[in-house]
Amino acid sequence: MAESVVLDPVDLHLLRLLQNDARTTYRDLAAQVGVAPSTCLDRVTRLRRAGVILGHQLRLDPARLGRGLQALLSVQVRPHRRELVGPFVERIRALPESRTVFHLTGPDDYLVHVAVADMTDLQRLVLDEFTSRREVARVETRLIFQQWDCGPLLPPDTPSAQSG
């Protein structure tokens, strides 16, 4: 497990702003946070090097790309051994329909978020890419009706931060 990085209020403010719009210029970030642009650049660079900022992503609307149906597939793999699950995960990650793959505890081993064209495409995906695999013991499908993004990800409040 990665170690936490100590973040001060300026770092937290920068992270909030960047999570809302990663294209914000250093000059605009600096003005909003109240530091010099060079200080802003140094801090963002430090946050990247420390692994706090992992990258920048472009978000696309799956429906506008012809993938209007999204689902969560709960997958049970048996036997659950490293030599089987490694290739399974890589195969699932390589599918153009796969959006996210989670390795879980509990009765299901994986949760896979997929985006497909329609029910026929979802059925094809489940039958051809999941249940046809020897190591897949069970797949349970849940359709996603609607999805909401949540606020920026920040470290948990500490008792000293809550009182200050």
Side-chain angles (χ1 to χ4, degrees), residues 103-122:
H103 190 194
L104 309 171
T105 62
D108 297 314
D109 300 309
Y110 295 93
L111 184 65
V112 184
H113 176 196
V114 299
V116 295
D118 53 29
M119 288 296 269
T120 302
D121 196 26
L122 179 59

Side-chain angles (χ1 to χ4, degrees), residues 8-61:
D8 67 17
V10 173
D11 294 330
L12 293 172
H13 196 177
L14 286 169
L15 292 173
R16 274 189 199 93
L17 293 169
L18 287 170
Q19 284 187 85
N20 289 328
D21 184 359
R23 297 182 309 159
T24 305
T25 66
Y26 289 116
R27 179 176 294 174
D28 289 343
L29 283 172
Q32 291 179 61
V33 175
V35 298
S38 60
T39 300
C40 182
L41 174 62
D42 290 345
R43 284 182 174 257
V44 171
T45 300
R46 179 180 55 81
L47 291 168
R48 278 195 188 102
R49 285 190 183 134
V52 174
I53 297 175
L54 299 176
H56 307 278
Q57 294 180 337
L58 181 67
R59 292 179 46 214
L60 303 174
D61 182 343

